[in-house]
Amino acid sequence: MRHSFTAVIEKNATFHEDFETEPYECAWASEARWFIHVAELEGDGASLSARVQVSPDGLFWCDDGSAFETISAPGMYSLAVRDFGGWLRLDCGLDGEGSRVRLMIYLVLKE
Amino acid sequence: MSHAAADIRLSRFNPLPRILAFDDFDDGLHGWCELVGNHNGDLNELQPVFSDMRPAQLSTCTFFDLGTHGAVDGTYSMKLATRPRKFHQAVAIKRLTSAADGLVQFEAWFTYKAEQTFGAKDPGARAWDGNYHPSEAHFGSFTLWNDICEGTEPRDRYHAALRYENTNEEGEFTQRWLYKTGLHPTTRMLREGFDSNQNDVHVAKPDMWAPIPGGDQQLCFNEVPTKVNWHYLRWLFDLSTRRNTELQVNDLTMDLREIPVLRFEEGYWGINRLLNLCMDVRTTSNVRNFLYLDSVVISADW
């Protein structure tokens, strides 16, 4: 039986500016899949970007190299990652004039 | 020799005759999940304090200076982590029901830390002197608690909650065990107008905690935020008396039989024989606080 765990990293959270998700430990898993469920995305030219970041210690971060395609409408979006070491987070950018996003972010880990 | 002493993995515990759960976090989270408040499908209905309790993590206890610390045995422990925001609280819950009234015991090997910070995060804080580390003052509290409901009658539901308060709301060292003297409103009570600060899942106001007699205790923070020493904890409560019985943390054992446990005046529907066990960590600074559990044993005398 394989191990699996789904963490709700952001729950019905509203953002008006760029943000990073909280650090999440994932050393036990060899595969991961992010889900971003955008419930609302408002503002003139509003869009959301999300880059995967990794870290050796949960304190200092760098880009993993993978990223979601730019999100410009409500909906469910997903991205798979591997070889991420011990920690994962998303570095999210909110573009557009007076933008606002309300969303869920899930991290599904499997070993 | 007790049945636990004959098992090398259980011999560091002292369980009651029936082991309901042995949660060694080297092989998963064993049903410890994030606490979520009540809602009707619309998450906007969540009480603010119950809306962001954070998912538990399987931690390797890895730090920037020494790498992986690991756990008492194996590599992994369960970690609860707050956000880096004053009074944020992370809560994990394990949901069971009880088959009879009687004793229930929760045992754990645990440790706690504040996240490493760099530079002067708190001007005026006591300085590092080679032994004392200011990181210790960044840690707020951790709490073990239950949610019990025998049936649907008024006063059938109660929460026993025991808190280790390292620093108080002002961030001053107190290092003592507390019990709560007030209820946190349930979602139903809040909808009926009950007032709450919404920054502690246990109480509506911070003065609703009281010291446990003989409950002063200094734990082993161990000087820096990247050294972890595991502590033994044993909490015994009695479903037949609706009271705590005792709490042991290393060499300190507190008799809790005279400590009052508040009951909800209303009756609750659909939670008969509820037996929930919870752990949480709450920061009193703008620094992430962590509670780690290497392993947990839940046992009963029924």
Side-chain angles (χ1 to χ4, degrees):
Chain A
M1 183 74 74
R2 301 182 71 189
H3 287 283
S4 177
F5 188 79
T6 298
V8 178
I9 301 295
E10 290 292 350
K11 183 171 27 244
N12 194 41
T14 298
F15 296 95
H16 299 270
E17 56 193 8
D18 299 347
F19 64 96
E20 299 96 24
T21 61
E22 286 294 290
Y24 197 81
E25 293 207 39
C26 53
W28 60 273
S30 59
E31 57 185 87
R33 180 171 283 277
W34 289 97
F35 290 91
I36 302 179
H37 188 182
V38 177
E40 296 173 311
L41 182 57
E42 299 171 346
D44 190 15
S47 69
L48 178 71
S49 63
R51 292 177 296 141
V52 177
Q53 292 198 316
V54 292
S55 170
D57 52 21
L59 297 170
F60 300 102
W61 298 84
C62 62
D63 289 342
D64 162 70
S66 56
F68 281 78
E69 292 188 20
T70 301
I71 295 169
S72 55
M76 182 71 87
Y77 303 87
S78 184
L79 178 70
V81 287
R82 298 187 66 92
D83 303 327
F84 37 73
W87 306 75
L88 278 169
R89 77 172 185 182
L90 290 179
D91 182 15
C92 298
L94 187 59
D95 291 325
E97 194 69 31
S99 297
R100 170 184 171 276
V101 65
R102 184 168 65 86
L103 49 66
M104 306 277 292
I105 298 180
Y106 300 90
L107 180 59
V108 180
L109 298 164
K110 191 177 290 186
E111 177 54 40
Chain B
M1 181 183 285
S2 74
H3 61 304
D7 182 328
I8 193 167
R9 296 174 70 219
L10 279 170
S11 63
R12 61 178 182 270
F13 294 96
N14 188 27
L16 298 176
R18 186 183 309 282
I19 294 176
L20 302 177
F22 175 26
D23 301 336
D24 183 338
F25 300 108
D26 279 311
D27 58 2
L29 283 164
H30 288 264
W32 287 90
C33 62
E34 178 180 353
L35 178 63
V36 177
N38 289 356
H39 58 81
N40 61 1
D42 177 1
L43 295 177
N44 293 314
E45 295 285 339
L46 289 172
Q47 290 192 43
V49 73
F50 286 106
S51 66
D52 186 28
M53 307 269 82
R54 310 308 304 159
Q57 305 182 41
L58 287 172
S59 175
T60 56
C61 277
T62 294
F63 301 107
F64 83 104
D65 54 352
L66 63 87
T68 295
H69 213 304
V72 175
D73 66 356
T75 301
Y76 295 100
S77 54
M78 177 171 75
K79 180 173 84 172
L80 309 183
T82 72
R83 289 185 186 268
R85 189 175 69 229
K86 193 172 187 176
F87 303 143
H88 185 262
Q89 198 168 12
V91 187
I93 183 168
K94 180 159 179 142
R95 295 190 168 100
L96 305 172
T97 52
S98 59
D101 292 337
L103 293 171
V104 177
Q105 183 170 267
F106 172 94
E107 293 173 275
W109 282 83
F110 74 94
T111 191
Y112 64 104
K113 284 289 162 185
E115 189 171 60
Q116 175 81 47
T117 57
F118 301 91
K121 193 95 175 178
D122 295 319
R126 184 176 151 191
W128 180 69
D129 66 4
N131 168 226
Y132 168 82
H133 194 291
S135 172
E136 188 169 3
H138 289 154
F139 188 86
S141 67
F142 65 87
T143 306
L144 52 150
W145 47 294
N146 62 22
D147 185 0
I148 309 293
C149 190
E150 293 164 13
T152 55
E153 296 300 314
R155 298 173 59 77
D156 271 354
R157 188 178 187 188
Y158 58 93
H159 292 159
L162 304 172
R163 166 168 291 181
Y164 181 72
E165 183 190 62
N166 181 61
T167 57
N168 62 17
E169 300 277 306
E170 288 71 45
E172 302 159 339
F173 280 119
T174 46
Q175 303 195 318
R176 57 184 178 169
W177 287 93
L178 306 176
Y179 69 97
K180 69 175 190 172
T181 62
L183 294 169
H184 191 275
T186 62
T187 299
R188 189 169 82 178
M189 293 161 68
L190 202 74
R191 291 171 72 91
E192 292 167 353
F194 201 100
D195 185 30
S196 164
N197 280 11
Q198 289 289 310
N199 69 13
D200 187 343
V201 299
H202 299 288
V203 294
K205 305 289 178 185
D207 62 1
M208 293 176 170
W209 289 98
I212 295 172
D216 288 347
Q217 187 175 30
Q218 197 171 50
L219 300 177
C220 184
F221 185 82
N222 197 351
E223 303 182 312
V224 296
T226 61
K227 296 178 184 175
V228 302
N229 288 74
W230 300 91
H231 298 65
Y232 175 67
L233 179 150
R234 183 178 60 84
W235 171 35
L236 188 64
F237 57 91
D238 191 340
L239 298 178
S240 61
T241 62
R242 299 168 167 174
R243 291 284 182 110
N244 299 291
T245 302
E246 63 183 13
L247 173 66
Q248 177 190 353
V249 183
N250 279 349
D251 59 339
L252 176 67
T253 300
M254 291 157 270
D255 184 342
L256 304 177
R257 287 173 294 182
E258 300 303 317
I259 298 291
V261 175
L262 299 172
R263 300 187 205 166
F264 289 92
E265 292 300 327
E266 316 93 324
Y268 281 84
W269 180 261
I271 51 173
N272 288 43
R273 305 305 305 182
L274 185 78
L275 173 56
N276 288 342
L277 289 155
C278 309
M279 297 287 295
D280 72 68
V281 57
R282 180 172 181 264
T283 180
T284 48
S285 65
N286 290 320
V287 176
R288 288 186 185 91
N289 280 191
F290 307 128
L291 178 68
Y292 301 90
L293 291 104
D294 165 80
S295 45
V296 166
V297 171
I298 302 165
S299 57
D301 70 349
W302 33 267

